[in-house]
């Protein structure tokens, strides 16, 4: 199962990288089929970025995190406990 996750994460990085290339390109897009089917319109619109960060870049980062977690066999909670300072919440049992 770990290898399936890695393959899908790698595929996601590749597809997101291609979308990021389309986002920054100015020429004819590879998916420009006709007036109705054109991914360049979406990748150049205001919906293709969140706080001026391209959605494709967010996708690359997300797929890399998923791939790393899958490779290391860490669960999200284990990742948080190992690498981030645990949250100190007040205890109501005292």
């Amino acid at each position: 199962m770990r290898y399936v996750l890695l393959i899908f994460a790698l595929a996601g990085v590749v597809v997101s990288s291609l979308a990021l290339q389309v986002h920054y390109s100015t020429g004819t897009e590879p998916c420009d089929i006709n007036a109705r089917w054109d991914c360049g319109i979406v990748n150049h619109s205001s919906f293709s970025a969140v706080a001026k960060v391209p959605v494709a870049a967010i996708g690359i980062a997300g797929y890399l995190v998923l791939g790393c977690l899958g490779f290391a066999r860490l669960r999200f909670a284990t990742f948080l406990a190992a690498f981030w300072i645990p949250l100190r919440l007040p205890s109501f049992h005292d």
Side-chain angles (χ1 to χ4, degrees):
M1 186 66 176
R2 174 173 71 160
Y3 297 110
V4 173
L5 179 64
L6 289 174
I7 290 170
F8 283 136
L10 180 63
V13 168
V14 169
V15 170
S16 295
S17 298
L18 292 173
L20 188 63
Q21 185 266 333
V22 169
H23 178 79
Y24 286 115
S25 70
T26 57
T28 304
E29 313 306 335
C31 55
D32 184 12
I33 298 172
N34 58 27
R36 293 186 125 194
W37 298 95
D38 184 9
C39 67
I41 293 173
V42 174
N43 278 317
H44 295 295
S45 72
S46 62
F47 299 107
S48 66
V50 176
K52 297 185 180 181
V53 176
V55 172
I58 297 170
I60 291 171
Y63 285 119
L64 286 174
V65 167
L66 286 175
C68 290
L69 289 175
F71 185 73
R73 292 185 181 186
L74 292 176
R75 294 187 178 152
F76 185 68
T78 306
F79 176 77
L80 287 176
F83 296 109
W84 289 345
I85 298 172
L87 294 175
R88 299 287 179 176
L89 298 176
S91 175
F92 296 107
H93 299 287
D94 294 335

